Amino acid sequence: MMTSTAFENKTVIVTGAGQGIGFEMCKQLAYRGATVLLNDIDEVLANDAAQSIRGEGAGNCIACAGDSSDKDFIQSMVDLAVEKSGSLDIVIANAGITLFGDFFTYPQDSLYKVLHTNLGGTFFLAQAAANQMRKQGKGGSLLFTSSVTGHQAHKDLAAYGMTKAALEMLAKNLVLELSPFKINVNTIAPGATLTERTMDDPNYEAVWSRITPMGSPARTIDIANAALFLVSDGAKHITGQSLIVDGGWTAISPSPNEV
Ligand SMILES: NC(=O)c1ccc[n+]([C@@H]2O[C@H](COP(=O)([O-])OP(=O)(O)OC[C@H]3O[C@@H](n4cnc5c(N)ncnc54)[C@H](O)[C@@H]3O)[C@@H](O)[C@H]2O)c1
């Protein structure tokens, strides 16, 4: 059920995409003609997700199970993209873990895990992809999944929020490095989004509906729509930017009559 050809002849890697936001990005890209390498650390989830996209009759979706923060695995994903279709055009470093915890007692292993997955994984995927794109000589697009918590403080998310803010600075730095090769690099910062993970909390939708100006948390398609724009040919002149998709949550602060 391909709906358009906007991404025909584009080969894309999306990490952490067995479910949630990344899965929706893969589905929408495949619907539009892309060859998609769908990565997840959970092999069953990766295979089932890719199979379900193919099953809907949408283009080419290849499961690529492995740890997106492992440098050797990252290189093997880039090599697989090239082997399957001759080039790599778009990379969405979407895998990220959220480990909540009180700052005063936050454990060292949690901090290093969050840094390793959210920052290390994105940094080395960007590096491997940029090297490949530079070799190809026809530009490319990188997109990192950040978060509103990289812009606004959020209780018990000091470590996670710090990694998301750092991803936004990484994108800005890479403007210097990658613009000469016509590779643009942006971040997308989702607000509260309904996914399999967030919906584990039975109060999630009601609470975020109450505190989000637009009256609801995002659906994964809201995030995917914005992401597809940022990696499309239409956004080639946009680079080093962060697009917040949060129903207005970060635009406001508590008013006197609310406290
Ligand atoms: N859901 C939200 O409300 C929300 C809000 C803001 C930002 N984000 C960000 O969006 C991205 C996706 O979040 P989500 O909630 O859709 O996903 P999620 O937390 O449900 O995870 C998606 C998938 O990532 C996989 N994964 C975890 N670590 C991995 C690794 N090292 N390598 C490969 N795969 C791995 C998991 O197995 C899972 O299937 C993350 O970067 C997250 O920080 C999410």
Side-chain angles (χ1 to χ4, degrees), residues 111-135:
L111 175 68
Y112 289 153
K113 211 167 165 211
V114 170
L115 291 174
H116 188 69
T117 305
N118 299 9
L119 284 184
T122 302
F123 184 96
F124 287 114
L125 178 56
Q127 185 189 61
N131 273 309
Q132 177 59 32
M133 289 170 179
R134 180 169 137 169
K135 210 175 341 171

Side-chain angles (χ1 to χ4, degrees), residues 6-215:
F7 288 90
E8 213 164 39
N9 303 320
K10 303 278 190 197
T11 302
V12 188
I13 291 173
V14 186
T15 61
Q19 62 180 19
I21 291 169
F23 174 70
E24 189 68 40
M25 291 170 173
C26 290
K27 196 161 83 172
Q28 298 306 323
L29 285 160
Y31 283 171
R32 289 163 180 76
T35 296
V36 180
L37 271 71
L38 181 158
N39 159 260
D40 203 284
I41 198 166
D42 181 325
E43 188 172 2
V44 174
L45 211 53
N47 288 336
D48 288 354
Q51 167 72 44
S52 87
I53 291 173
R54 287 197 304 272
E56 289 184 37
N60 216 347
C61 187
I62 302 156
C64 198
D67 181 351
S68 68
S69 61
D70 178 296
K71 204 164 176 283
D72 292 337
F73 174 71
I74 288 169
Q75 189 57 52
S76 74
M77 259 192 311
V78 170
D79 293 344
L80 182 66
V82 177
E83 182 192 312
K84 292 283 178 196
S85 60
S87 76
L88 175 63
D89 306 292
I90 296 168
V91 164
I92 305 183
N94 171 73
I97 55 168
T98 314
L99 298 178
F100 288 85
D102 177 17
F103 168 71
F104 289 98
T105 53
Y106 202 76
Q108 192 178 27
D109 64 332
S110 297
L111 175 68
Y112 289 153
K113 211 167 165 211
V114 170
L115 291 174
H116 188 69
T117 305
N118 299 9
L119 284 184
T122 302
F123 184 96
F124 287 114
L125 178 56
Q127 185 189 61
N131 273 309
Q132 177 59 32
M133 289 170 179
R134 180 169 137 169
K135 210 175 341 171
Q136 293 166 185
K138 55 179 178 132
S141 285
L142 306 182
L143 181 68
F144 308 150
T145 305
S146 171
S147 165
V148 287
T149 62
H151 294 257
Q152 296 278 101
H154 189 296
K155 184 92 181 106
D156 293 337
L157 284 182
Y160 173 82
M162 174 174 76
T163 66
K164 294 302 189 179
L167 289 179
E168 308 221 350
M169 196 59 217
L170 175 63
K172 286 189 193 175
N173 265 287
L174 295 187
V175 168
L176 271 179
E177 314 284 350
L178 304 184
S179 298
F181 305 102
K182 304 288 178 228
I183 301 166
N184 67 341
V185 50
N186 292 294
T187 60
I188 184 160
T193 305
L194 294 173
T195 62
E196 290 84 346
R197 175 176 61 83
T198 58
M199 283 190 291
D200 273 350
D201 171 359
N203 300 319
Y204 189 86
E205 185 167 6
V207 168
W208 282 99
S209 296
R210 187 161 47 75
I211 63 176
T212 301
M214 290 297 266

